[in-house]
Amino acid sequence: MRTAAISRNTKETQIKVRLNLDGTGRCAVNTGIGFFDHMLEQIARHGLMDLEAQVEGDLYVDGHHTVEDAGIVFGQALKEALGDKKGIVRYGQACIPLDESLSRVVLDLSGRPGLYFSCDFAAPMIGALDSQLVREFFQAVSNHAGMTLHIDNLKGENAHHQAESIFKAFARALRAAVATDARAADVIPSTKGAL
Ligand SMILES: [Mn+2]
């Protein structure tokens, strides 16, 4: 089973994440920011991963440390669950609409961090989530999973829809990239022989 369980404690946040890449979409998350919970649920549901996340952050400051650090630990869990990446597809992409919003995510589990993010959010806040933190979450995931990650919101007039279409597209792209390649089950998908 491709699973990981990671705990991370700092003065700003205390986080526990459990991840099963070969799950069914089960999700139990509590970050203290309702809309962020809603987004993590999209990753589990549409990524077909089981995800538990208990996040206690310094929300009296703002949501920044909570969201960024959740991204760090999710990225670490993803990297650990993938192991040597033998047999995975490696690349994934998805273009997902939510009503008027349309988002495209293209990713490579390359081992190298890199986030290329474009979204002009229609509102500064989405519920209790500062829309600027969507980028911060994915920056942390990219850094700690070792993932090249291109995220483009191509259209959108509602910030809830923009963010949700991004998370759904990320989930679908990730699901494709971590899937097992039936024609190369024992192969690390790189001419270097390592990822
Ligand atoms: Mn929604």
Side-chain angles (χ1 to χ4, degrees), residues 168-183:
K168 284 176 168 169
F170 172 73
R172 273 286 176 165
L174 187 57
R175 174 175 161 183
V178 306
T180 325
D181 188 336
R183 293 183 59 209

Side-chain angles (χ1 to χ4, degrees), residues 5-195:
I6 306 233
S7 297
R8 182 180 188 272
N9 294 298
T10 73
K11 285 181 183 164
E12 294 171 345
T13 61
Q14 296 83 47
I15 299 177
K16 284 194 177 78
V17 166
R18 297 174 74 88
L19 178 67
N20 176 7
L21 295 180
D22 303 300
T24 57
R26 269 193 309 116
C27 186
V29 298
N30 186 7
T31 67
I33 303 174
F35 186 76
F36 187 42
D37 290 353
H38 184 43
M39 294 301 96
L40 295 176
E41 284 166 3
Q42 307 305 324
I43 295 178
R45 170 57 45 205
H46 297 287
L48 272 189
M49 300 170 183
D50 295 339
L51 176 64
E52 292 173 32
Q54 192 62 44
V55 181
E56 302 213 19
D58 54 0
L59 292 175
Y60 63 90
V61 176
D62 65 8
H64 199 114
H65 305 138
T66 298
V67 173
E68 181 177 18
D69 293 2
I72 289 173
V73 182
F74 177 73
Q76 289 172 337
L78 195 52
K79 185 180 164 94
E80 182 172 309
L82 280 167
D84 65 5
K85 302 181 189 164
K86 197 175 272 184
I88 64 165
V89 170
R90 176 178 168 177
Y91 300 99
Q93 57 182 308
C95 203
I96 299 288
L98 201 175
D99 296 346
E100 91 298 341
S101 288
L102 179 64
S103 295
R104 180 184 64 209
V105 173
V106 183
L107 64 84
D108 176 8
L109 296 168
S110 58
R112 296 186 302 276
L115 175 70
Y116 307 91
F117 183 95
S118 172
C119 180
D120 186 10
F121 282 107
M125 295 296 293
I126 316 167
L129 182 74
D130 180 340
S131 59
Q132 288 185 314
L133 297 181
V134 175
R135 182 194 195 110
E136 296 306 307
F137 174 77
F138 286 110
Q139 183 70 68
V141 172
S142 164
N143 287 351
H144 291 269
M147 179 192 298
T148 308
L149 183 54
H150 290 260
I151 296 177
D152 291 275
N153 175 244
L154 305 174
K155 302 179 196 174
E157 292 165 17
N158 176 286
H160 183 127
H161 292 169
Q162 287 173 297
E164 189 164 333
S165 62
I166 285 172
F167 275 85
K168 284 176 168 169
F170 172 73
R172 273 286 176 165
L174 187 57
R175 174 175 161 183
V178 306
T180 325
D181 188 336
R183 293 183 59 209
D186 289 320
V187 179
I188 294 171
S190 164
T191 52
K192 282 201 298 276
L195 278 175

